Amino acid sequence: MADSPDGNQWNTIDKDLSKISQVEYATAYVSRPLVAPGVALAFMVMAGLAAAVLFDTTPVNLVVIAAAVIGAYMAINIGANDVANNMGPAVGANALSMGGAIAIAAIFESAGALLAGGDVVSTISKGIIDPTSVAEARAFIWAMMAALLSAALWINLATWVGAPVSTTHSVVGGVMGAGIAAAGLGAVNWPTMGAIAASWVISPVLGGVIAAAFLALIKSRILYQEDKIAAARRWVPILVAIMAGAFAAYLALKGLKKVLPITMQGALLIGLALGLVTYVVTRPLIARKSRGMENRNKSVKVLFAMPLVLSAALLSFAHGANDVANAVGPLAAIVHASDMGSAAGQVAIPAWVMVIGAFGISFGLFLFGPKLIRMVGGQITRLNPMRAYCVALSAAITVIVASWLGLPVSSTHIAVGAVFGVGFFREWHMARRRRMLNNARPDPMRIAPEERRRRKLVRRSHFLTIVAAWVITVPAAALMSSAIFVLLNSLIR
């Protein structure tokens, strides 16, 4: 039977609607990856508009507007890359969901930047170059612009590759490259650069050793005890108190000292007092929570979940207080030089500049952070609450030890080094137990060397990629910065 004319008409309409639907699906599929860059671009434009309105000059200073846009771009990249070090372990250990981690980090990063970010920051030299060597205001502005842009571009590239890098080292490289291009090799403080290069090794090794030591303590004193729950009641309050004390001292050194003058001895006393209070409070809480638990490792992991969440929040607060200067420091220097017509080693950071840094970090975390959070939390080595606890505690203790010794360290290198330390300790510990089992087995039952290699617990490809990114961060940022400075200086005279 032939179709009626009306039937053909409806078939044609259905086909046309189907084609339109497919076009809509294809458009949504193509446009979805562009949403995050579009939002980031909108934020950068808003930062430029804020600079045009709030930097009160006539006519409008286009240099400050451009610097505000680049500063917003830098802050977005810090949020996308650096914050993963704080939240990655908690997410990888399933103590926090990705959404919960992003929400907590955004709140505490912004709070740290706005409440404890400081009014006066050493924005220019970081001990790398002498501001007087770039005395001309125009050359100084181009140098800071080049340093900011090169650092942001390098961090963006590292995030795309999937390598957590130090934003501080990126800025250091940018300042060094621009300083060399502007005033020659003599402008650089090479002993300070040598100390920073040494921190490439010191930071991750120290963080890894401390994390591995605490994991060994947990295994020997809790997990390998016959009565795990009784051991946990005894040791978990002590470990939580150590964490509370370490973070109190850490926050005093890295955040609160921007508001109140605090010495190392004062920070340690604050940490000791809070640690004792925490022990008294948590001991009955842990005893109550552990009642009725089964005598197995999974029960012990539950007791570490809440301290891990708190540590992630505190790390984010301290990071926001400390690293916001990497985004807004050079921007504040440009604002000062444009306003005063001279360079300075330390400048007051206007409130609107600090807001750009704080919200930029939060936007970057929300839009682009999940990739690095997953990588740090789950793709280097498997983490559980106890291993992640060791990573977080190591970050706080290593910063305190490094500050006491006067060593320049990177919080990124410490945190990622601690993850590697936990993974390599697990490999060593498992290989040691396997050797003991092999010695007790007949030859046919022994594990072949190929199988042992397959069972590596740290992904070597990520290890090599991250270490390579760490090594070339300063020289890569310096080369880009010097090239950008030369280009700016030649185009705009």
Side-chain angles (χ1 to χ4, degrees), residues 201-272:
V201 177
I202 294 169
S203 298
V205 170
L206 197 56
V209 168
I210 292 175
F214 274 99
L215 184 58
L217 176 68
I218 291 171
K219 284 181 176 292
S220 64
R221 298 299 179 184
I222 300 176
L223 299 183
Y224 293 159
Q225 296 296 313
E226 186 174 347
D227 189 344
K228 296 176 174 56
I229 303 304
R233 290 190 186 118
R234 183 166 57 253
W235 278 98
V236 171
I238 296 174
L239 292 169
V240 174
I242 292 173
M243 170 172 274
F247 271 102
Y250 178 92
L251 288 171
L253 287 172
K254 301 298 284 183
L256 298 181
K257 74 174 183 180
K258 306 281 177 57
V259 180
L260 298 171
I262 296 176
T263 63
M264 172 62 75
Q265 292 79 6
L268 292 177
L269 287 174
I270 291 172
L272 179 61

Side-chain angles (χ1 to χ4, degrees), residues 127 173 331 432 462:
L331 170 58
R432 178 169 169 267
H462 287 318

